[in-house]
Structure formats: C-alpha cells, structure tokens
Amino acid sequence: MERMKFVVEFVFDQKKKLYLHIKAFWKQDSVNLSLSTFLTFLFKNEKYLHPADREFAYALAKFIKKVKIGSHYLEAIPNDLDQALFFKKALEYDIPLKWKKGNQVLSMGVDETLSLHITVSKHHDSVSCTLTNRQEWLDNPLAWLPFRADKDVYCFCFGTLILNPSYDLEHFLDLFLEKSTIQYKSFEIFHFIRNIYEPNKNMLYWKIPADLFQLLPKSTPPIPVLKLEYDGRILTPTLSYRYGNQQVTADDHDDIIRDSGSATLYHRMLDMESIYQQDLMSLFMESNLPFLLENPGDIGKFLDQVVPVLKRREWEIISEVSDFSIIDKPVDIEFMLHSDSNINWFYFEPNCEINGEKLSLQEVARLMIQNQGYIKTNAGFVKMSESSQNELSVLTKFGAFKPGQKFNKAEILPLIASSTITGSNEPTKALIKDLQNVYQSNVDPGPGFKGVLRDYQQYGVNWIQFLYRVGFGGVLADDMGLGKTVQTIAFSNQIPDKGPILVVGPTNVIFNWEKEIRFFTPDATMLVYTGAKRVQELRQLESVDYVITSFGVLKNDIELLGAIYYKAIFVDEAQYIKNPRTQISKAVKSLKGRFKLAMTGTPIENHLQDLWNLFDFTMPSYLGSQHHFESEIKNGNKEFFKAKIRPFVLRREKREVLDSLPDKTEIIVKCPLSPAQQALYETVLSAAKKGIQNLDGRRERLNILAALLKLRQVCIHPAILKEFRNHDIESGKFELVKEKILELMDEGHKVVLFSQFTDMLDILEEWTKLESIYTERIDGSVTGKHRIEAVDRFQEAASAGLFIISLKAGGVGINLTAADYVIHLDPWWNPAIESQATDRVHRMGQKNKVIVYKMISEGTIEEKIQQLQESKRELLSQIIDIDSAEEKKIDFEELKKLL
C-alpha cells in the first residue's frame, strides 16, 4: 500500500515567528490542505490510505491553518503547541517526514547524532568544552528548535528530531548561547562526565582527551569506624566511614569527598556503607540488644559479644569505656508482711538482702529504675528477676516501704495480689491463704442450681464468694457474652443469709434475668418489679429470693426500694451509673445491702475515671473523693490505681477463654424506641392501617409494602425517612448501637455491621468520623477493586475498627475473619440470608470465637417478625427483598397480619 508523503518547511516571518509550512503528496500528486478540500480528499480515499497515514491526516486537519506570510498564503501550523503536537503525532503514527532545506528535500532523522561538534580539553584539575561550529549554531535558527507539548519536548537540529533530550543536555547547549567555552572544575568534572558526556556520547560529535577520566573520583572501599562513648548511664556507638584520611557519617549527603590530606577525590561507596550499617544492626538483633544501650546488662553483652566480632572483621574501634562487671544470674527479693496486735493493720519489712549485702528496699527501687532492673552492688551489677522488678515497682508506688506506713485489709489485698508476699504471723498468713483459695478451691453453687459452669465461670464464682466472705464489693467486667449472669446466679444460690437479692439494670435486660434465673434455679422465687401495677406487689418484696427491676423504676420508687436491706445487690450494665451526677446513679448508691456487685462488659481498665463511681457504689470511700481520684489520674498515677482496684475487678476477654466458648454466640438485643421515635412509629402504623382498610388489589399491596418499609425505617432511625431527616428525632436503637460499638472499640475488637439501608450507613459513618473510629465501608457504589482494597485494609489493620456493609453489596463474596463481632442493625428476616452475612466473619480462617448481636426494636414490627422466624420461615424469605420481590410470590394476607 502506497504511503502519503509529508514535507515540512520552516518559515519565519518579519517578526521571526516560526511557521511550519506543510505539504502532502499522494500517488505523486500534491494534496490541497485547505480544510474542506483536505477533508473531502480524506473522505473519498480513506479506505485506500495506510491506517497510520489516515489517522495522522485527520489529526493534521485540526492543526492546519491558512496564514499569510508576505504576499503569499500558505497552509501552515502557526500555533506553538500545535507544532509540538504535529511532531508528537508524526512519531506516534510512525510517519516518515521530510524537510525542505533551500531547494533540497531531505529525510528527517529521529534520535540520530546531531551536527554539533564538541571539543574537550584538560587543564590540570579542570576541563573546558568548546562548540566548534558554534557560530553556525548561533546564526542558523534551524540548528536548535524546541517544540513543547505537555511534558514532552521535541528538538529539531539540522534535520534531526530529538525526543525529550535530558535537562542536563539542554542546559549544556544553552550555555553556548552566552559563551564559547564552558569550564568544569574539581567536583564539577564528575557531574560533566556522568550527566552530560556519558548519557549523550552518541548524541553529539565529541573529541575527548584520553586521560580525562583520571580526574574522576576514586572508588575505594571505606574502612568502618565505630566510636564508643559512655556518659555513666548510656553507651553511645557512633558509626562512621574513613576514605583515605577523611571520615564521613551516614548523615553526610555529599557523594564525592576530598581527602583532607591531599587533593584526591573519593566517590563514596554508599552500598558498602549500607552493608556495614546492616552488619552492625544484625549483630544487635542476633544478640537481642536494643539500639539504645542504657541497661548495664545490655552494655556488658555489647562489649563482650559484639565488639570482638567487629574487631575480627577488621573494623576500627575507638573506645572510651571502662570494663563492666555483670552477674548473669537474676536474683529474687522476698517481701515480708507483718501485722500488729490489731489484725486490721499491716506493714512491710523495709530492707532486703542481696548476695549477703543488706540494702534498703527504697534504695533498691531507685537503682532498679535507674539501671533498668540492675542493682549495683560491691560485686558488680546484679539483675533482679522480672517478677521481683514488677512486684517492687507496685509496692513502691503504694509507699509500702516508707517508715511508719500501714495498710488496712482493703488496702493490703491489692499488694498481696500483685506480689509474692510472705506472712510473718498467723493473721497475715491467713489472709494470704484466703486470697490463694480463690484459685485453688471451687465454691459449690449448692443444690437447686441446674447449670454446668465452665472453668472460667467457676473461677468467677470463687472470686465473687471471696469478696463476699471478706466483706468487700466488686466489679465483674467480663467480655460481653461470657456469662456474667450465670456466674452471679451460681454465687447467689449458695448464700446462706436470708432476704432478697436485688437485680437492677436497663429495661432491655430485666426479662433476660427472669429467664436465666428460671433456667438455672427453677426453685427460686422472684418478682419482676415493673409496670404500672407494680406497687400492688410491694408486700412480696422481702419474701422472694430475687427482686428484678429497671433503672427507671428504681429512680421513681427509691423510697420504697431503698427501705429494704438486701443480702446482695447486682447492678447489670453498670456503665449506666458511671456518671455520679445522674438521678439513677444517686438512687443506686443509696441502696443498702451486705454485698454489692457491679456488672459491665466495658473495658474499665481504660476508663478509670468512669470506674470511680462504680467503686463509690460497691466500696464507698475506697478510692477517695472523686476530685482526689481524678487529680491523681491526671498526675500520672493511673497504674497505681489499676493495681489498687485489681483484686476487686474481674475481667476476662473472649480470647482468654476461647476453648470454653461455642463457635458462634448469637445474642438478641432488645432496643426500646425513644419517646419521639415511639410517637412517630404509632403515627406511621395508624396511617398504614387506615391506608389498607378500604383498598384492594394492586393498590392495597403497594400500600402494604410501603407501610412495612416505612415502619422498618422508623425502627432503625427516623432520619432515614426523607420527610423526617431534619427533625432531629433520636433513635433508641442507634444510641444503643453507638454504646456497643464504643465498648468494643475500647476492648480492641474489630466489628462488622450490616444494614439494608445505605442512608443509615451514612449516619453511622458521619458519627464514626466524629468519634475518630477507624471505619471501612462497602455499599452498591463501591467497585470490585475497591471492595478488595477495603477488605485488605481492614484485615491487616493493627487497631480496632468498624466495617459497615449494606445487604445487597456485601452479603457475600468477602472474607472478614479479622473481626470477631457482628452487629445486624436491622432484621434480615430470612434467617439463611442473615447467616450468610454473618459467615463473612464466621468462616474458615477465623481464629476467634464470634459474637453476633441482632438489634431488635422492642414492641415493633421487627419484634413480630423475629418471633415469626421459625414458624413463618417461607413468609420471611419473601420479605427479605421486599422492595423488589414479585407480588405473586408474597402472601399479602400474612403481611397484613403484621400490621
């Protein structure tokens, strides 16, 4: 196939403006390039043209303009950018160009050697470069014409087109506009050879002296130099590299250095320097040494193990460190507890003995901190065992060794629990043994208890019984789903005292308590003290085993309930009383009873401020005043208080008792509607009923579907409905879910939350941003690639996080085994679909047990459908995709019953 030919002529007008005059030829004939004529030609002949010529010609038609130069009109490209794009397209379509030089038509070369001749001369420690045909280069505009398009540069030089010459080459040639000779001295010579000559030695004609390369820096391997300095506490090794007589460190940025004792240049071997640095770091890691050497044991190990290896490798070591004496075998310290004639007061022996040398424990504690576990004795540095270090740290924070310091029974229990203490007399030995029995002797729940306790639950019963026996209260703070209720029921069943046990909690747990008590202790009597007619049951309060009531009822009836003395008081979901200023908190703390237990799944170790009020209920005055407590926390005494509360708080996380748990635990959480939400729900329900009373056929069915959808949305959050988006109606479910999520984030869990409504995901995402919760999201707008990226980020994230997912977008096809909690925000009606979503987390590769929360709005359409899940499974499978289901598959009479 015959190719078109294109000829370029460079034309300058009187103002020295450049034009590209273009001529085209087809089958030996000239082609008229005026726009309409050219396009007509292309239209008629495009099927005969070579594809590259055709595409280039159409592009050329966009650039060509008719311009007047002198008295002549030419078809030319006048615009600078279009000129560059012309050459870009020519190269892109592999169009062979010709150019007109005078009366000659010559082929245009691409990336060939330019007709520029450079002579390089050497002068001592410098070189000079001369462009021998400089005058022609200056006089002839065709010697160097740059055309720029986007990031590309096309340079024309005497018939050769160069694509994207390097910046160094452009700058090098530009210098000849100002001077005929360019000089490079010392360090600049290396730059000239490396950046100008070598990359472009085939681009220009060079005349180079043979001995030029003798001026280049020498490539000589450096000698590693390690300087060791010791300031009495920290050993600092400093690594440098010696080239000849010159030393450099990794912080020095010069690639070329000059020997201070001569004019010799050295080219730094950064790869060798990096190898030496890696060698040193590897020796640190092989010897299990930290990079900050301040521990006497680490310093001794470095000097004994690392330095000899470096010397054998011919490193230069400059040391200013005297010898260290380290005694390798760790020593244990024995702490002795005494009590006076009044057995309620205890104190510690203030001294200890280490290798026959008697030392003050206060001084030992100071030296241990200063030397990171080492004590300086007459024989040298002695390392304390890790257990003794931890125990000494705790005891010191409690002021155990201060002269005259004494502790009561409540104060001494944390110290016994935190250290290995030996009793000096019978009262101290008996108390220590009593605490040890929590681990060694199991409490029998007694006759009538029908459950089987897992090992960790049995320990919980032992612990509660110990607190009861020694006269203190406590906080049972096990992870959610570990059976705090069954532990307290087992404990309660064996209490010999007479009188009722009071259980207080939020409304959504009180009936669960009734169910659990009936299951585990069917012979127990109880009164669920709630409802409008509850006052009629007052006479039974003191005759039953359990009184179960809600926070709201307790607040309203505190005068009646507060007049009774209970043998035990259990406050479930005790985070509700963490604020001492609320009426509920004040009511709870006014109750009277022998034993008080707060129960919460919140990780209270991270919220010590909140914990003060729980202890003000269970053990009043133990943590001092709230102001004193909060001041001490702010002043950095958090660890002190954590140790102080440790015997009175029991918390186990799911992963600690993994083998005792089922593979998957499902928990239905009843969520009361907020007052405003309840009023809205009843309004919508009433309107829905009226909307279907006098309708039939298709209009009735559409109204049923619309009513169900709207009721479901109200249950989740009224803001999902467009007409109530700006009414600021609180969602009871959303408030409960936020609380659960915050608890789980504080515990370090990863959570996956499912909802059918993307508008609800928007509300959730806005809230998580305010709370700075790490969140990923998948909905219908997220593409396959971004789904995978979001899942990978969530799976690999080291921190806790939340993954929010819409039903249709994320119910299948993803693996989220890094999570161990699932929240179903709204019922998915079809149990199979719900399980399928849960299995995004509970599937092969999951290493943790999975807790599944199903959030059901109490007294609503959600609760009805949840109750129907087993008996009306077929109906529920129809409702799952209610917005797009085929009407003929839905039993609308059943749906009407739900309304």
Side-chain angles (χ1 to χ4, degrees):
M1 183 179 289
E2 187 173 348
R3 299 291 302 270
M4 288 187 71
K5 296 181 175 58
F6 296 93
V7 178
V8 181
E9 184 177 359
F10 298 91
V11 180
F12 297 87
D13 64 10
Q14 293 178 346
K15 296 181 180 180
K16 295 188 177 179
K17 177 175 176 57
L18 173 67
Y19 296 88
L20 294 186
H21 176 212
I22 311 299
K23 294 180 181 179
F25 299 90
W26 166 247
K27 295 184 176 179
Q28 309 303 318
D29 295 328
S30 175
V31 178
N32 189 331
L33 296 184
S34 63
L35 183 59
S36 58
T37 306
F38 189 32
L39 290 176
T40 301
F41 163 79
L42 293 176
F43 179 74
K44 290 180 177 180
N45 296 283
E46 62 179 353
K47 63 182 178 181
Y48 306 112
L49 295 174
H50 188 279
D53 292 343
R54 183 175 61 246
E55 295 300 323
F56 179 68
Y58 276 115
L60 179 61
K62 299 178 183 179
F63 306 142
I64 289 288
K65 302 287 186 298
K66 187 178 288 293
V67 297
K68 184 178 181 182
I69 301 177
S71 58
H72 300 283
Y73 284 92
L74 303 175
E75 306 297 339
I77 303 177
N79 181 278
D80 293 348
L81 176 60
D82 289 345
Q83 291 170 2
L85 291 174
F86 167 79
F87 287 114
K88 180 177 181 179
K89 292 294 183 181
L91 293 178
E92 181 180 337
Y93 294 117
D94 195 24
I95 302 299
L97 296 177
K98 296 188 177 293
W99 69 294
K100 191 172 181 182
K101 182 181 180 183
N103 294 323
Q104 293 180 293
V105 177
L106 306 172
S107 293
M108 188 179 293
V110 178
D111 286 338
E112 298 175 356
T113 304
L114 304 179
S115 295
L116 299 176
H117 298 264
I118 309 294
T119 299
V120 181
S121 304
K122 176 185 171 187
H123 307 282
H124 302 294
D125 62 346
S126 68
V127 296
S128 60
C129 300
T130 304
L131 178 60
T132 54
N133 56 338
R134 176 172 177 263
Q135 196 57 49
E136 182 186 9
W137 185 70
L138 291 174
D139 294 342
N140 191 336
L142 301 184
W144 192 252
L145 286 175
F147 301 91
R148 301 182 186 276
D150 299 326
K151 296 181 181 179
D152 293 322
V153 180
Y154 305 87
C155 293
F156 179 85
C157 177
F158 294 130
T160 297
L161 194 64
I162 302 296
L163 172 60
N164 291 327
S166 68
Y167 167 80
D168 291 308
L169 178 62
E170 277 197 86
H171 180 66
F172 175 69
L173 294 175
D174 284 346
L175 289 175
F176 288 114
L177 294 172
E178 302 173 2
K179 59 181 86 173
S180 58
T181 300
I182 305 170
Q183 277 201 323
Y184 296 96
K185 295 183 178 181
S186 188
F187 294 101
E188 297 173 335
I189 299 174
F190 179 70
H191 167 78
F192 164 71
I193 294 176
R194 186 179 64 179
N195 296 348
I196 299 173
Y197 169 69
E198 289 186 342
N200 302 292
K201 59 185 175 182
N202 295 322
M203 194 66 70
L204 307 175
Y205 291 99
W206 298 89
K207 185 177 180 181
I208 298 284
D211 59 350
L212 174 66
F213 297 95
Q214 294 180 0
L215 297 177
L216 289 176
K218 298 183 182 300
S219 293
T220 303
I223 295 174
V225 179
L226 191 67
K227 185 176 182 180
L228 306 178
E229 297 175 291
Y230 183 63
D231 64 0
R233 193 173 68 88
I234 297 175
L235 177 71
T236 304
T238 304
L239 178 60
S240 60
Y241 312 96
R242 182 158 57 78
Y243 294 87
N245 297 308
Q246 192 69 24
Q247 285 186 209
V248 294
T249 66
D251 294 333
D252 295 323
H253 301 297
D254 293 331
D255 288 345
I256 309 298
I257 58 174
R258 183 187 294 274
D259 193 329
S260 57
S262 67
T264 305
L265 296 178
Y266 289 95
H267 182 255
R268 284 181 65 182
M269 301 183 69
L270 297 176
D271 55 342
M272 286 297 300
E273 292 180 15
S274 178
I275 290 171
Y276 289 134
Q277 188 176 46
Q278 290 296 325
D279 283 348
L280 183 60
M281 293 172 67
S282 296
L283 288 173
F284 267 86
M285 289 186 283
E286 288 170 12
S287 301
N288 198 24
L289 287 171
F291 292 118
L292 180 63
L293 295 170
E294 57 179 344
N295 183 311
D298 292 335
I299 294 173
K301 184 189 288 186
F302 175 80
L303 295 173
D304 290 343
Q305 297 182 12
V306 176
V307 170
V309 173
L310 296 175
K311 287 181 177 179
R312 287 197 296 272
R313 295 179 182 177
E314 297 184 348
W315 283 43
E316 188 176 317
I317 308 295
I318 303 173
S319 178
E320 301 174 359
V321 184
S322 57
D323 291 337
F324 268 67
S325 177
I326 303 292
I327 300 173
D328 293 332
K329 187 178 179 181
V331 297
D332 290 309
I333 295 180
E334 188 177 77
F335 305 101
M336 183 65 70
L337 184 66
H338 305 281
S339 68
D340 54 19
S341 55
N342 181 353
I343 63 171
N344 288 323
W345 292 101
F346 304 85
Y347 60 93
F348 284 88
E349 168 66 35
N351 299 316
C352 68
E353 192 172 282
I354 298 177
N355 291 344
E357 188 175 340
K358 195 169 185 178
L359 297 171
S360 160
L361 280 167
Q362 279 189 299
E363 178 65 11
V364 168
R366 186 188 68 79
L367 291 172
M368 182 191 71
I369 294 171
Q370 179 178 308
N371 296 322
Q372 294 192 10
Y374 280 84
I375 308 297
K376 192 170 186 179
T377 67
N378 294 333
F381 284 99
V382 177
K383 183 175 179 60
M384 288 180 60
S385 68
E386 188 172 345
S387 60
S388 288
Q389 289 184 55
N390 295 333
E391 293 169 10
L392 183 59
S393 176
V394 170
L395 294 173
T396 302
K397 287 176 181 177
F398 275 83
F401 312 118
K402 291 181 180 178
Q405 180 69 54
K406 292 186 177 182
F407 303 91
N408 62 31
K409 187 181 289 186
E411 293 168 335
I412 202 64
L413 278 177
L415 304 185
I416 296 174
S418 303
S419 52
T420 307
I421 295 176
T422 302
S424 65
N425 55 12
E426 285 306 314
T428 54
K429 291 177 181 177
L431 184 61
I432 293 170
K433 185 177 181 181
D434 207 9
L435 183 58
Q436 290 172 343
N437 281 339
V438 175
Y439 303 90
Q440 298 168 357
S441 300
N442 287 339
V443 173
D444 185 352
F449 182 77
K450 302 304 181 184
V452 176
L453 297 173
R454 301 185 177 107
D455 291 342
Y456 75 90
Q457 292 172 333
Q458 178 64 63
Y459 176 81
V461 176
N462 299 347
W463 173 79
I464 300 172
Q465 175 63 21
F466 167 74
L467 295 181
Y468 178 81
R469 189 170 63 249
V470 296
F472 302 123
V475 179
L476 180 57
D478 279 344
D479 210 346
M480 290 181 282
L482 293 189
K484 294 187 286 294
T485 305
V486 69
Q487 294 175 64
T488 52
I489 293 172
F491 156 73
S492 305
N493 192 61
Q494 52 83 52
I495 299 178
D497 300 344
K498 294 184 178 181
I501 292 173
L502 178 64
V503 178
V504 187
T507 304
N508 63 335
V509 305
I510 59 176
F511 293 104
N512 183 63
W513 270 91
E514 179 187 25
K515 176 184 173 183
E516 295 288 285
I517 292 171
R518 290 197 192 285
F519 179 81
F520 289 109
T521 53
D523 296 333
T525 58
M526 74 188 81
L527 172 63
V528 178
Y529 185 73
T530 186
K533 299 180 180 180
R534 62 182 181 274
V535 178
Q536 299 174 11
E537 301 170 322
L538 281 173
R539 286 173 296 178
Q540 302 180 48
L541 284 178
E542 296 190 59
S543 62
V544 297
D545 296 318
Y546 292 92
V547 177
I548 308 170
T549 192
S550 67
F551 289 124
V553 171
L554 175 68
K555 181 184 70 173
N556 294 332
D557 294 7
I558 187 57
E559 290 188 6
L560 299 173
L561 295 173
I564 301 171
Y565 187 84
Y566 304 96
K567 62 181 177 183
I569 301 170
F570 302 146
V571 176
D572 198 2
E573 301 293 346
Q575 65 272 16
Y576 278 79
I577 67 165
K578 66 184 180 182
N579 186 344
R581 293 185 292 275
T582 64
Q583 292 300 314
I584 291 176
S585 176
K586 292 175 181 177
V588 168
K589 290 196 289 184
S590 69
L591 295 169
K592 298 183 289 291
R594 173 180 170 178
F595 177 69
K596 299 175 182 178
L597 184 72
M599 303 161 65
T600 175
T602 305
I604 48 181
E605 302 95 325
N606 298 328
H607 294 283
L608 289 176
Q609 288 88 336
D610 297 340
L611 190 61
W612 178 87
N613 203 50
L614 300 187
F615 268 83
D616 199 39
F617 159 63
T618 59
M619 297 174 64
S621 77
Y622 177 62
L623 296 181
S625 70
Q626 184 182 10
H627 175 73
H628 168 75
F629 177 80
E630 291 179 350
S631 296
E632 289 295 306
I633 295 297
K634 289 178 182 177
N635 291 334
N637 288 329
K638 186 175 182 179
E639 293 301 319
F640 167 77
F641 280 102
K642 286 175 88 170
K644 190 169 183 177
I645 66 174
R646 187 170 291 121
F648 310 107
V649 175
L650 180 61
R651 172 161 182 78
R652 278 81 57 88
E653 294 187 5
K654 193 154 55 75
R655 59 176 173 266
E656 297 176 43
V657 291
L658 201 59
D659 293 338
S660 301
L661 285 176
D663 288 340
K664 179 173 66 177
T665 302
E666 293 187 349
I667 302 171
I668 294 175
V669 180
K670 295 296 181 69
C671 309
L673 301 179
S674 72
Q677 189 180 15
Q678 181 72 46
L680 176 61
Y681 181 87
E682 291 172 359
T683 301
V684 173
L685 181 60
S686 176
K689 290 178 179 178
K690 292 178 182 178
I692 63 175
Q693 280 177 354
N694 301 316
L695 297 175
D696 55 16
R698 180 174 176 82
R699 291 182 63 194
E700 180 193 43
R701 294 193 292 270
L702 289 175
N703 272 26
I704 291 174
L705 294 176
L708 281 173
L709 175 62
K710 188 164 289 190
L711 286 171
R712 287 159 59 205
Q713 291 173 321
V714 172
C715 289
I716 301 165
H717 202 306
I720 298 178
L721 283 77
K722 292 182 180 178
E723 57 265 44
F724 296 101
R725 190 154 294 170
N726 299 317
H727 285 60
D728 198 25
I729 300 176
E730 181 179 87
S731 164
K733 179 184 286 191
F734 186 41
E735 293 304 309
L736 192 56
V737 166
K738 289 193 291 186
E739 184 178 312
K740 290 287 185 189
I741 290 172
L742 288 173
E743 289 175 5
L744 293 171
M745 292 302 102
D746 288 338
E747 290 177 356
H749 293 289
K750 288 186 177 180
V751 181
V752 177
L753 182 146
F754 294 96
S755 175
Q756 297 175 69
F757 300 96
T758 55
D759 287 342
M760 188 62 217
L761 299 187
D762 294 339
I763 294 170
L764 263 167
E765 194 167 25
E766 183 178 354
W767 171 73
T768 59
K769 288 178 181 177
L770 292 175
E771 294 291 339
S772 299
I773 296 172
Y774 163 59
T775 305
E776 295 287 355
R777 172 173 174 166
I778 286 178
D779 58 33
S781 67
V782 180
T783 64
K785 178 184 177 183
H786 290 106
R787 281 165 58 104
I788 295 170
E789 291 171 350
V791 169
D792 289 344
R793 285 193 300 270
F794 188 80
Q795 290 284 92
E796 295 167 8
S799 60
L802 176 68
F803 207 127
I804 57 178
I805 303 177
S806 67
L807 165 63
K808 293 181 180 178
V812 295
I814 54 177
N815 183 345
L816 293 169
T817 53
D820 56 353
Y821 277 83
V822 176
I823 296 176
H824 292 294
L825 189 59
D826 41 278
W828 284 15
W829 319 125
N830 185 334
I833 299 297
E834 192 174 80
S835 297
Q836 190 178 54
T838 299
D839 286 345
R840 300 310 96 215
V841 175
H842 187 250
R843 61 186 299 168
M844 189 70 71
Q846 176 60 263
K847 297 180 180 178
N848 297 316
K849 304 301 180 185
V850 176
I851 303 293
V852 182
Y853 286 106
K854 299 181 180 180
M855 315 302 291
I856 304 295
S857 292
E858 198 170 18
T860 70
I861 192 84
E862 289 187 352
E863 194 171 57
K864 289 184 179 181
I865 294 179
Q866 187 265 325
Q867 293 166 356
L868 285 171
Q869 277 194 331
E870 293 304 321
S871 61
K872 300 292 182 181
R873 186 174 295 270
E874 183 179 351
L875 171 66
L876 298 178
S877 67
Q878 295 168 356
I879 299 175
I880 176 65
D881 200 10
I882 200 168
D883 301 321
S884 60
E886 295 178 22
E887 291 179 9
K888 64 182 180 181
K889 295 182 179 179
I890 298 179
D891 187 341
F892 281 90
E893 290 303 312
E894 290 285 2
L895 293 186
K896 285 174 70 173
K897 291 178 184 179
L898 293 178
L899 295 174

